[in-house]
């Protein structure tokens, strides 16, 4: 099987939305990416760090999904990264209530030996120096490197972020972040400018309004599935990234045409993530549900235009 290396946070989240609130629950970019990618036929590993307050049941969940956790460092006496946030009524904006870096503050990633030749590397949202450090440890050049980042790093670590962006094939960011990174309001112009920074492919996520894929002059748009209920958008972007990277890893086809499929698979899995708090829906999700919803996506996006 092909190998996918996942880098990112494994964390605790406390979430408040108009529909309710949670105490500390399982979260983190690498967690969502790993759970999403586990729906594909591949070998995956997570590189991250937690404290010894991280429950064994969460570790068991990851291993049950065939995710290698030998690169998940457990710091004795340490506390796991914690984030708390409150979403506004539209669920598109949120306020961060607390961010506690804890063990993440001194994290030095260690790639497991068996994954230093991974086919695909998915660099989840983390400090750009950590992302670069992982690429430095690879013994063979991955077929594809995908990077996800956010405006926080653009604000406080832009030079380091630009350095790692030069080394990746695909960048996935949301529309607000694309505008900030490029200085362009038009997303077409923004993608063109980001291309010049290094990535061959630019994926711009637009939440409930779908996602755009840019490659040179080629553009593809995938809608988000209209959902009756959106409960909690936390982790949806990471779930999307996990589906995208998982599909590419499984298929071994790195082309613009195949990335269209990867975008749909990512959007499909993200549509489940938002239906419950945190990772709850992804944990309960069955393969049959994934396939049935893919059929809905196909019905939503396929049509013939009669040219007059």
């Amino acid at each position: 099987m092909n190998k996918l290396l996942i880098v990112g946070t494994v964390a605790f989240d406390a979430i408040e939305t108009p529909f309710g609130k949670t105490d500390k629950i399982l979260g983190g970019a690498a967690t969502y990416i790993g759970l999403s990618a586990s729906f594909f036929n591949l070998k995956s590993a997570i590189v991250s760090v937690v404290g010894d307050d991280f429950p064994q049941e969460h570790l068991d969940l990851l291993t049950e999904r065939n995710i290698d956790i030998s690169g998940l460092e457990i710091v004795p006496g340490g506390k796991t990264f914690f984030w708390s946030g409150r979403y506004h009524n539209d669920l598109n904006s949120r306020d961060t209530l607390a961010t506690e870096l804890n063990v993440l503050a001194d994290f030095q990633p260690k790639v497991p030996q068996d994954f230093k030749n991974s086919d695909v590397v998915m660099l989840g949202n983390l400090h750009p120096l950590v992302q670069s450090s992982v690429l430095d440890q690879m013994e063979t050049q991955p077929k594809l490197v995908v990077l996800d980042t956010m405006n926080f790093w653009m604000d406080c670590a832009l030079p380091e972020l630009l350095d790692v962006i030069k080394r990746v094939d695909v960048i996935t960011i949301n529309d607000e972040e694309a505008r900030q990174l490029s200085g362009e309001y038009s997303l077409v112009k923004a993608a063109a400018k980001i291309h010049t920074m290094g990535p061959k492919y630019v994926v711009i996520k637009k939440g409930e309004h779908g996602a755009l894929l840019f490659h040179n002059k080629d553009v593809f748009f995938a809608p988000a599935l209209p959902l009756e209920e959106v409960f909690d958008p936390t982790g949806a972007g990471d779930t999307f990234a996990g589906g995208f990277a998982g599909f590419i890893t499984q298929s071994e086809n790195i082309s613009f045409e195949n990335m269209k499929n990867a975008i749909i698979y990512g959007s499909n899995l993200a549509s489940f993530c938002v239906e419950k708090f945190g990772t709850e829906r992804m944990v309960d999700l069955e393969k049959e549900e994934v396939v049935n919803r893919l059929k809905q996506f196909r019905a939503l996006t396929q049509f013939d235009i009669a040219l007059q």
Side-chain angles (χ1 to χ4, degrees), residues 19-304:
F19 307 107
K21 60 193 296 187
T22 71
D23 293 323
K24 282 187 177 181
I25 58 173
L26 176 62
T31 308
Y32 284 102
I33 293 167
L35 291 173
S36 183
S38 71
F39 285 91
F40 300 91
N41 186 31
L42 50 81
K43 287 174 69 177
S44 67
I46 282 177
V47 173
S48 193
V49 62
V50 293
D52 60 9
D53 59 343
F54 196 72
Q56 184 63 42
E57 65 186 274
H58 293 342
L59 296 172
D60 292 341
L61 167 66
L62 297 173
T63 53
E64 284 162 12
R65 293 300 183 93
N66 295 318
I67 301 168
D68 185 307
I69 58 169
S70 59
L72 178 57
E73 181 185 355
I74 301 172
V75 179
K79 292 180 69 178
T80 301
F81 174 69
F82 171 68
W83 175 83
S84 174
R86 179 192 297 124
Y87 286 89
H88 299 178
N89 284 340
D90 64 358
L91 293 178
N92 287 323
S93 51
R94 69 187 184 193
D95 299 319
T96 293
L97 304 178
T99 302
E100 298 171 13
L101 289 177
N102 299 327
V103 293
L104 199 62
D106 302 311
F107 176 43
Q108 301 291 325
K110 297 178 187 69
V111 177
Q113 187 60 43
D114 192 37
F115 282 84
K116 289 185 177 180
N117 62 347
S118 294
D119 301 277
V120 177
V121 175
M122 178 67 232
L123 299 173
N125 177 37
L126 262 183
H127 195 293
L129 288 178
V130 174
Q131 295 173 323
S132 285
S133 170
V134 168
L135 294 181
D136 291 342
Q137 294 175 54
M138 302 306 290
E139 291 180 352
T140 58
Q141 178 62 37
K143 293 172 185 169
L144 196 75
V145 179
V146 186
L147 178 137
D148 189 42
T149 191
M150 65 183 296
N151 46 15
F152 178 78
W153 305 118
M154 297 174 200
D155 292 335
C156 70
L158 184 60
E160 296 89 344
L161 177 60
L162 291 174
D163 281 343
V164 74
I165 286 175
K166 289 176 191 169
R167 304 175 65 183
V168 309
D169 304 294
V170 184
I171 184 170
T172 71
I173 48 178
N174 68 29
D175 43 1
E176 178 192 351
E177 293 154 355
R179 289 180 172 121
Q180 180 175 342
L181 183 60
S182 66
E184 297 284 356
Y185 183 80
S186 158
L187 293 180
V188 176
K189 287 182 178 177
K193 199 155 189 184
I194 295 168
H195 275 315
T196 66
M197 299 175 187
K200 302 180 193 73
Y201 302 89
V202 178
V203 177
I204 299 179
K205 301 172 287 187
K206 291 166 59 65
E208 63 182 321
H209 303 298
L212 287 154
L213 169 66
F214 295 90
H215 173 59
N216 297 328
K217 296 293 183 184
D218 293 323
V219 186
F220 173 70
F221 172 72
L225 193 72
L227 296 171
E228 200 168 308
E229 218 164 31
V230 174
F231 207 75
D232 170 24
T234 309
D238 298 313
T239 303
F240 170 89
F244 178 89
F247 179 82
I248 294 289
T249 306
Q250 174 185 280
S251 66
E252 296 184 87
N253 179 350
I254 298 166
S255 66
F256 181 76
E257 289 303 312
N258 198 48
M259 283 191 190
K260 293 180 182 179
N261 287 310
I263 294 274
I264 296 291
Y265 272 83
S267 298
N268 185 42
L269 286 159
S271 75
F272 288 104
C273 178
V274 301
E275 292 181 338
K276 289 186 178 179
F277 272 119
T279 56
E280 189 182 347
R281 186 67 174 99
M282 298 308 292
V283 170
D284 296 337
L285 186 59
E286 299 288 341
K287 185 84 174 186
E288 186 181 359
E289 295 178 281
V290 176
V291 173
N292 287 338
R293 189 163 289 182
L294 269 176
K295 293 175 183 174
Q296 287 180 261
F297 261 96
R298 186 168 62 186
L300 181 72
T301 57
Q302 287 195 345
F303 54 89
D304 291 317

